[in-house]
Amino acid sequence: QVQLVESGGGLVQPGDSLRLSCAASGRSFVIYTWAWYRQAPGKQRELVASMSLGSTPATYADSVKGRFSISRNSANTMSYLQMNSLKPEDTAVYYCNVKTHIGVNWGQGTQVTVSS
């Protein structure tokens, strides 16, 4: 069992930056894949970025490629989503997602609003 808590969301203006964090806690777990999803009002939840253990490179949605960057800490207990050059269409609830040897876990989400 893994508990995930996102933080770092807020209200920003177009062109600004935000860094989201995801903290994982639990007992006897190893996270093989970290991912960030987002869901805008009236739209389906979409994959924004993901990364896995090993040499596989990170993946990004076309809409955020070149602007967003996913990373993790060396202890493999935290994930970060650096968001630059934010646009109004980036407004959504952002969710942390992980895959372990047991299955998939989701965080509660953090709101990101980009508006002038």
Side-chain angles (χ1 to χ4, degrees):
Q1 182 176 343
V2 179
Q3 308 295 326
L4 302 176
V5 179
E6 302 98 333
S7 62
L11 173 63
V12 298
Q13 295 183 339
D16 286 352
S17 297
L18 275 178
R19 191 193 196 202
L20 305 183
S21 299
C22 177
S25 62
R27 187 174 65 186
S28 300
F29 67 88
V30 176
I31 295 173
Y32 298 110
T33 300
W34 294 90
W36 287 90
Y37 289 75
R38 68 184 181 188
Q39 187 166 24
K43 295 188 175 182
Q44 300 265 25
R45 186 173 297 186
E46 65 172 339
L47 176 64
V48 176
S50 67
M51 65 180 301
S52 299
L53 296 181
S55 61
T56 304
T59 62
Y60 299 93
D62 289 341
S63 59
V64 307
K65 198 172 186 65
R67 300 187 296 119
F68 290 11
S69 180
I70 187 173
S71 62
R72 63 173 177 87
N73 67 344
S74 59
N76 202 34
T77 56
M78 295 283 294
S79 176
Y80 308 95
L81 184 68
Q82 179 67 46
M83 305 184 294
N84 299 325
S85 302
L86 283 163
K87 306 174 180 179
E89 49 263 45
D90 294 319
T91 296
V93 177
Y94 284 72
Y95 297 91
C96 181
N97 169 273
V98 300
K99 292 181 180 178
T100 70
H101 68 289
I102 298 298
V104 177
N105 290 272
W106 293 87
Q108 83 288 351
T110 184
Q111 176 71 48
V112 173
T113 302
V114 185
S115 176
S116 59

